[in-house]
Amino acid sequence: MWKPLAAFCLVFALLAGFFGYTVVEALDAQDAVSFTVEQQIGDPAAAQGFQLNIPTFQNYDMAWDTTLTLGSTPTWSTDYRYDPGNISWYTPQDSSPMLSIAVGDTSMFYISGDDWSTNVIGQAYREIIEDVSSRAPAKGSYSETVALSDYLDYYPVILSDIPLPDSYSSGWETWDLTQALRIPMGQGDTIQVDLELDQNFVISSIYLSTPQAPSLYSEAILSNGYYYVLFSPEQQDGTPVSGASPYGLYRIPASGGQALAAQNCTLCYQTSGKPQRLALADGGYHLLLMENLAENNYQFLLLDTLTYQPLQEIPIQLPDENHTFIIQDSYLGVLSLSDDYPAPLVQSLKLWAKNDFGLYVPVLDCDLTQAQFPLGVSFQTHYDGERLVMASYLQTSPSGYMVTPSVSIAVCNSDGLAYSARFIHSQSITGFIQVQDYRLTLTPVS
């Protein structure tokens, strides 16, 4: 009796030790991240002095923080962490306030125990909602479409996601700028109001649809006590809204709050065309504004924040093809793109960089067709005065939401394309590995 029991215990102990060793060995093996280089063109030494940070995770249990150092002989290292069920893929990131129309093509909000009229959309369309609800025959669902111009003269324009001024509180507020930034209602514009009424005939949910509403989206930039926004509402066919406030750059005092927001919203610079991009330059003393003058005809403007007069105008004539822009403090770029799907390939690059006088001058003109560089998720650039280095994750689905930790690299200098390659991450072979927040960091090596 004792011999079989002792033998069983010995076998169990050996098996437990084996499985324990196997688990540890498996976890240790997860730390072995490597790269395979493919489609390499040019000299890898052209990328010397730069590194990439690639964070990945699996099933909220394991995380890898991998650094790939570029150069003649690329090297890599990984910090690995195992913490079952406690690894989040989400990293909180700061968001900027957004200028928009309170209801665009469609909008929905649901109220549970709160007064819907305190909601920013509820405030904007309160008269309409109350009027439609007064005709609701009974509890349950009710829908009605009415003319917007019967109730409002202008579309409600808001600046949302403004952080509360009290540093000890968390949350955001919304400012109504309708009286300063006016977008007239079209005579045929309508709003569909879908209501749900509870057993007490009280509104419990609201759905609003404004199919003819113009489009307006502009991310606000905070600098020297002001929010700067670009105002350029468009009809659905791309034409400007007749009778709207002038296209251009506006500023709103950040400390004024809701009460003074519309009253102190000021037109700083009226653009000739449609303003499309805005960025800070020189620590906020200057602003970079990009506007579309006509089809394929753009210009960059360097504006002084004291006078709001252009210090420099950079005209850009683009060919009839897809393109995108690089806007940084010290350099500006234009990339022409192919029609490849889901990730277009970069065909060429034109780059301007600041000189000793603080003005932008042409520095690079590079043909990238050989590089086959895909403009994928988390596109990153860095210009060091001689080279522009570009990096991007490789996409694996048309939606663009699925990416692998593999990266594509391209380096341009005054002679053209100096180097390009794809670094295939060893974790790309499994679909269980995910790129954390789709973040990719390109930095010079100190």
Side-chain angles (χ1 to χ4, degrees):
M1 176 70 181
W2 290 105
K3 287 184 178 180
L5 180 59
F8 172 78
C9 291
L10 177 61
V11 171
F12 180 80
L14 290 173
L15 288 174
F18 170 76
F19 284 115
Y21 172 78
T22 302
V23 170
V24 173
E25 184 181 44
L27 292 178
D28 287 344
Q30 298 298 328
D31 201 4
V33 171
S34 62
F35 292 88
T36 303
V37 183
E38 295 182 356
Q39 301 183 11
Q40 182 168 275
I41 298 174
D43 185 359
Q48 192 80 32
F50 287 90
Q51 65 183 21
L52 293 166
N53 179 253
I54 303 169
T56 56
F57 79 104
Q58 178 179 355
N59 197 34
Y60 306 100
D61 294 334
M62 293 177 280
W64 299 260
D65 191 8
T66 301
T67 298
L68 170 62
T69 302
L70 305 173
S72 300
T73 306
T75 59
W76 47 85
S77 61
T78 297
D79 289 330
Y80 169 72
R81 182 162 62 98
Y82 178 66
D83 191 3
N86 293 317
I87 295 177
S88 174
W89 62 270
Y90 175 71
T91 301
Q93 300 189 22
D94 294 334
S95 59
S96 298
M98 180 68 69
L99 182 73
S100 64
I101 298 175
V103 171
D105 295 332
T106 58
S107 180
M108 180 176 65
F109 58 98
Y110 177 79
I111 294 85
S112 178
D114 295 328
D115 182 3
W116 60 264
S117 63
T118 62
N119 180 285
V120 64
I121 299 176
Q123 290 177 352
Y125 296 94
R126 179 171 184 165
E127 182 182 354
I128 297 175
I129 294 170
E130 289 180 338
D131 184 44
V132 171
S133 65
S134 69
R135 292 189 289 276
K139 67 179 181 180
S141 302
Y142 180 71
S143 179
E144 187 176 333
T145 299
V146 297
L148 278 164
S149 59
D150 289 346
Y151 302 86
L152 301 173
D153 295 324
Y154 304 100
Y155 277 100
V157 175
I158 58 174
L159 186 65
S160 56
D161 297 333
I162 302 169
L164 291 172
D166 184 356
S167 60
Y168 295 100
S169 63
S170 60
W172 296 265
E173 59 183 359
T174 300
W175 295 350
D176 185 355
L177 300 176
T178 308
Q179 296 305 311
L181 301 174
R182 297 190 169 184
I183 305 176
M185 292 289 177
Q187 287 300 313
D189 292 0
T190 60
I191 183 170
Q192 177 182 324
V193 182
D194 295 339
L195 303 175
E196 288 286 342
L197 282 71
D198 62 19
Q199 63 274 13
N200 298 317
F201 305 101
V202 175
I203 297 173
S204 59
S205 69
I206 303 171
Y207 176 89
L208 304 177
S209 176
T210 54
Q212 299 92 11
S215 62
L216 173 67
Y217 297 100
S218 174
E219 185 175 301
I221 290 180
L222 178 62
S223 178
N224 298 322
Y226 291 98
Y227 285 116
Y228 290 95
V229 293
L230 298 179
F231 182 73
S232 56
E234 286 186 336
Q235 301 283 13
Q236 294 185 8
D237 60 2
T239 59
V241 178
S242 177
S245 297
Y247 275 17
L249 172 70
Y250 288 78
R251 74 176 189 186
I252 305 119
S255 60
Q258 166 67 38
L260 301 177
Q263 179 180 338
N264 293 328
C265 181
T266 305
L267 176 63
C268 300
Y269 183 81
Q270 184 172 343
T271 56
S272 302
K274 179 187 177 182
Q276 290 190 319
R277 297 281 294 274
L278 184 66
L280 294 177
D282 304 316
Y285 289 102
H286 298 139
L287 291 168
L288 276 170
L289 189 155
M290 188 198 78
E291 63 174 327
N292 183 202
L293 300 174
E295 185 176 4
N296 298 324
N297 188 9
Y298 295 79
Q299 73 171 353
F300 285 112
L301 298 171
L302 182 64
L303 299 177
D304 177 39
T305 53
L306 293 177
T307 65
Y308 299 102
Q309 294 301 308
L311 301 175
Q312 184 182 11
E313 298 178 2
I314 306 172
I316 301 172
Q317 184 67 43
L318 297 173
D320 293 329
E321 57 188 11
N322 294 335
H323 53 268
T324 190
F325 298 92
I326 302 170
I327 300 182
Q328 299 291 338
D329 187 345
S330 60
Y331 60 95
L332 308 171
V334 177
L335 302 174
S336 62
L337 308 173
S338 70
D339 292 327
D340 290 78
Y341 188 80
L345 301 178
V346 178
Q347 303 296 294
S348 65
L349 158 75
K350 293 184 183 295
L351 195 74
W352 293 258
K354 279 185 180 176
N355 60 15
D356 294 337
F357 302 100
L359 300 178
Y360 294 90
V361 295
V363 289
L364 297 180
D365 191 344
C366 184
D367 184 344
L368 284 123
T369 52
Q370 280 188 301
Q372 295 289 293
F373 180 89
L375 191 69
V377 175
S378 191
F379 174 61
Q380 302 290 308
T381 65
H382 189 95
Y383 180 66
D384 66 356
E386 295 180 357
R387 303 167 292 174
L388 180 77
V389 183
M390 302 189 298
S392 176
Y393 280 129
L394 300 181
Q395 289 180 239
T396 59
S397 72
S399 67
Y401 292 109
M402 295 298 293
V403 299
T404 75
S406 297
V407 293
S408 186
I409 301 294
V411 181
C412 294
N413 59 25
S414 58
D415 295 325
L417 178 64
Y419 176 66
S420 68
R422 294 188 179 187
F423 287 82
I424 307 303
H425 198 292
S426 58
Q427 293 178 334
S428 297
I429 61 174
T430 173
F432 297 104
I433 300 296
Q434 299 178 21
V435 178
Q436 183 177 357
D437 285 346
Y438 310 125
R439 283 185 291 125
L440 177 66
T441 306
L442 172 67
T443 56
V445 179
S446 58

